[in-house]
Amino acid sequence: MTNTMTLTLERKDLMPGRQLIGAEWREAIDGRRLDVIDPATNDVFASVPDGSAADARAAVDAAHAAFPAWRAVPAKQRAQIIKRWNDLVMVHQEDLGRLISREQGKPLAEGRGEAAYAASYIEWFAEEATRANGDIIPAPVPGRRMFALKEPVGVVATITPWNFPAAMIARKIAPALAAGCTVVCKPAEDTPLTSLALIKLAQEAGVPAGVINIVTASRERTPEVVDVWLDDARVRKISFTGSTPVGQHLARRSANTLKKLSLELGGNAPFIVFEDADIDAAVEGLMAAKFRNGGQTCVSPNRVFVQDKVHDAFVDKLTARVGALKVGPATDPGSQIGPMINSRSVEKIERHMQDAVTRGAMVLTGGKRLVDLGPNYFAPTVMVKADATMACSCEETFGPVVPITRFMTEAEVIAAANDTPFGLAAYFYSTDVRRIWRVAEALETGIVGINEGALAAEAAPFGGVKASGYGREGSVHGLDDYLHTKYLCQGQL
């Protein structure tokens, strides 16, 4: 049985409880509401509008109407507005951290960290707004001038996931604003509050009415909201982070209007430890990469390969570190791992564990729900004797589970690492300079961590290959994804 609980914020108005369309914070057109659930308890603690196709159309109307004026704002002025947004996010970092932790479940320290991480993208793209430079092209004949200009694509629809409710929306909306685009966005149904708070702060920073519009919607109603945007020719770009099947649907459905797409989709990241690695550094790198957000990240190592000579030493050290992790709610300052996002997530982890054990894997620590803590907690887990037949090797587990496979040769592990439809991130540890270059070039992923477990940064391009999607977020490449190139040719000079 659920009950209403209070979330304490210094600024209570950062929970507007409504969606922003044009200049108005308003209810869904038909008045329906969506409950927001605390993953630590499964209790309802807030609600937001449950938007429909009608709300989605109204959002596009507002964004389309606002686009001509916003694209005409000088880049420097747009940059100043976005920079004020960054400043407000940092001023309210504590409140945002509390919102993130409460609706998503990650420990409060991680919630605060995510707010700062989101701000880093806002600040970066504020600075990049003034650098959308074109080119002067040497003319092949006399009396002609040739130019390539960068222009905003138009109205952008952004669809964000629940695992990083602040960072993902900032990483998409900040470059859109910097490029001169207007935005319609739909946050994940599990974590709408952080997104609404960020949009409110953007409004306070001076983003004009209609430039950002946000529609919140339940899992049931999300398809009708997004399909409106897919079918509307006024929406010129879709930016989506989520599963590969949904990304494939977006690509198919948007084909009729030939929208530009940025798709950051599923992953199945390998983490390779070679016999010449610094084992202590590899353990620490895996801890950072795997257990951030309880393993609920798209670049989380999903398959761990350790070379035979160092396998046992690595496993012993890792098991000791994982067994010492403290699991608990965000309200406990000592918590290092919070609850999973919902019961579906925990059920998937359990399914993967049961399949692995049935097929011969051995659990060294963890491997079970922590029901005494609440409904959605799962113990950090290490298991050995994993192989490619197991579900945990083929699908993202998206939880705090480390399946370890022993390997013998470099060629063998490269083949195993690449034997997946996905290609988002990969990690490996080695001190052999020649091996480093061989392996980095051989791995079929968009991102490679070399002796490093923390990959993401606002200045770096983030994205995948193969079934992990296309397009890049962050960096100068992230800004380009919101721009068209226009060629101008002037003759008779």
Side-chain angles (χ1 to χ4, degrees):
M1 182 173 180
T2 60
N3 54 75
T4 303
M5 303 175 70
T6 302
L7 175 65
T8 303
L9 300 176
E10 292 179 16
R11 274 193 57 181
K12 292 182 175 58
D13 63 335
L14 288 182
M15 287 179 63
R18 290 174 173 81
Q19 54 191 4
L20 180 64
I21 298 177
E24 182 185 357
W25 289 94
R26 63 197 203 187
E27 295 289 345
I29 288 173
D30 64 4
R32 276 181 46 167
R33 302 284 293 180
L34 164 67
D35 288 338
V36 183
I37 308 297
D38 183 343
T41 62
N42 279 349
D43 289 332
V44 175
F45 72 97
S47 69
V48 297
D50 189 3
S52 66
D55 298 282
R57 280 189 288 271
V60 177
D61 291 343
H64 180 68
F67 175 61
W70 179 244
R71 72 174 295 179
V73 172
K76 184 174 182 180
Q77 188 176 335
R78 288 200 305 269
Q80 290 167 342
I81 293 170
I82 301 168
K83 184 62 168 65
R84 284 198 295 271
W85 185 23
N86 163 78
D87 294 342
L88 286 171
V89 170
M90 292 308 299
V91 166
H92 299 292
Q93 180 183 6
E94 180 66 23
D95 275 352
L96 291 170
R98 292 177 188 175
L99 276 171
I100 293 166
S101 293
R102 186 61 179 280
E103 67 175 348
Q104 198 278 328
K106 65 184 65 175
L108 184 54
E110 283 198 40
R112 294 188 189 106
E114 186 187 336
Y117 179 50
S120 73
Y121 282 97
I122 298 171
E123 183 178 42
W124 170 267
F125 285 110
E127 295 166 349
E128 286 299 297
T130 59
R131 298 174 188 150
N133 300 317
D135 299 298
I136 299 175
I137 303 165
V141 295
R144 182 184 294 176
R145 293 293 181 268
M146 299 163 62
F147 310 89
L149 305 182
K150 297 290 182 70
E151 294 186 337
V153 298
V155 177
V156 174
T158 68
I159 306 160
T160 59
W162 52 262
N163 55 343
F164 290 92
M168 295 299 97
I169 202 164
R171 198 158 80 182
K172 295 178 186 299
I173 291 181
L177 298 183
C181 300
T182 55
V183 176
V184 294
C185 64
K186 197 213 79 70
E189 67 278 359
D190 293 299
T191 55
L193 301 179
T194 304
S195 301
L196 291 170
L198 279 175
I199 299 309
K200 183 170 182 58
L201 293 175
Q203 185 185 44
E204 290 179 13
V207 175
V211 171
I212 304 179
N213 308 271
I214 183 167
V215 177
T216 53
S218 61
R219 178 180 294 269
E220 174 190 0
R221 279 187 152 185
T222 290
E224 70 174 86
V225 167
V226 175
D227 283 350
V228 165
W229 298 343
L230 289 169
D231 294 340
D232 194 324
R234 297 174 299 174
V235 177
R236 297 311 313 148
K237 175 181 169 67
I238 301 281
S239 179
F240 170 73
T241 297
S243 73
T244 295
V246 174
Q248 291 167 331
H249 167 75
L250 297 178
R252 286 191 295 265
R253 187 69 178 258
S254 65
N256 287 340
T257 53
L258 291 176
K259 302 184 195 305
K260 196 169 187 177
L261 291 172
S262 294
L263 302 174
E264 195 252 285
L265 307 176
N268 191 8
F271 188 105
I272 305 168
V273 182
F274 288 102
E275 60 188 10
D276 54 77
D278 180 329
I279 298 303
D280 290 329
V283 169
E284 292 307 310
L286 181 56
M287 294 297 295
K290 180 64 194 181
F291 294 103
R292 178 187 180 210
N293 198 23
Q296 299 174 116
T297 78
C298 51
V299 293
S300 177
N302 202 56
R303 300 169 294 150
V304 178
F305 301 94
V306 185
Q307 201 158 14
D308 178 68
K309 183 178 178 180
V310 296
H311 176 277
D312 293 350
F314 178 86
V315 167
D316 288 347
K317 290 185 177 186
L318 178 68
T319 303
R321 290 281 281 112
V322 173
L325 287 172
K326 182 170 182 180
V327 182
T331 51
D332 183 346
S335 293
Q336 296 168 289
I337 304 285
M340 301 297 98
I341 187 64
N342 53 39
S343 60
R344 295 187 305 277
S345 177
V346 181
E347 288 162 6
K348 181 180 183 182
I349 296 169
E350 287 185 315
R351 233 179 14 254
H352 280 196
M353 290 295 306
Q354 182 178 3
D355 173 79
V357 170
T358 299
R359 294 174 183 273
M362 180 185 302
V363 177
L364 300 183
T365 188
K368 61 184 179 181
R369 284 186 189 241
L370 299 175
V371 293
D372 291 344
L373 290 174
N376 298 321
Y377 290 91
F378 198 89
T381 300
V382 176
M383 59 183 178
V384 293
K385 300 184 180 179
D387 64 44
T389 69
M390 299 172 183
C392 63
S393 297
C394 305
E395 308 168 17
E396 281 186 293
T397 301
F398 234 60
V401 177
V402 180
I404 299 176
T405 301
R406 188 190 297 260
F407 75 92
M408 302 301 291
T409 68
E410 180 181 312
E412 170 197 346
V413 78
I414 292 299
N418 288 339
D419 187 20
T420 173
F422 303 100
L424 184 55
Y427 308 78
F428 70 92
Y429 275 71
S430 171
T431 57
D432 182 333
V433 173
R434 290 169 297 182
R435 189 200 300 276
I436 284 172
W437 282 105
R438 285 196 308 269
V439 174
E441 292 178 356
L443 289 169
E444 297 172 353
T445 59
I447 306 167
V448 180
I450 306 167
N451 297 324
E452 180 58 65
L455 296 172
E458 68 278 8
F462 191 99
V465 298
K466 302 197 295 188
S468 291
Y470 43 79
R472 292 297 179 265
E473 295 185 322
S475 80
V476 295
H477 305 287
L479 185 64
D480 279 344
D481 265 6
Y482 293 84
L483 296 165
H484 285 314
T485 300
K486 177 183 282 185
Y487 163 50
L488 306 182
C489 181
Q490 182 178 3
Q492 301 297 310
L493 296 177

